């Protein structure tokens, strides 16, 4: 998932906090995804995308308006 696609997911979700809450709800109990994580995924210069284990929960959070492909 590119940063551009992640930015679209943030917009579809209604912000970084709402996207993080949606991802957290779809992850195993104890997941600590927060707005800070989403911000980091968008602004990390070393990485071009969020970690793979978060891609499907991100897509599900925005009702598959974006896809992992």
């Amino acid at each position: 998932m590119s940063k551009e696609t992640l930015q679209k997911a943030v917009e579809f979700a209604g912000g970084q906090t709402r996207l993080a809450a949606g991802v957290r709800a779809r992850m195993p109990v104890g997941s600590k995804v927060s707005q800070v994580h989403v911000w980091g995924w968008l602004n990390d210069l070393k990485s071009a995308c969020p970690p793979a284990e978060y891609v499907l929960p991100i897509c599900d959070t925005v009702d598959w308006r974006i896809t992992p492909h």
Side-chain angles (χ1 to χ4, degrees):
M1 175 178 287
S2 68
K3 289 185 182 194
E4 292 80 18
T5 304
L6 179 59
Q7 183 59 47
K8 286 181 186 179
V10 168
E11 292 167 12
F12 287 143
Q16 294 179 9
T17 302
R18 287 188 179 184
L19 181 64
V23 170
R24 191 171 48 249
R26 287 159 176 83
M27 295 295 292
V29 175
S31 176
K32 298 184 180 186
V33 176
S34 67
Q35 177 273 329
V36 174
H37 290 95
V38 176
W39 185 90
W41 298 336
L42 287 168
N43 294 288
D44 184 7
L45 300 176
K46 297 177 187 175
S47 173
C49 57
E53 64 266 19
Y54 298 107
V55 173
L56 292 178
I58 289 169
C59 295
D60 191 34
T61 297
V62 297
D63 297 323
W64 298 93
R65 288 182 274 177
I66 60 166
T67 62
H69 303 291

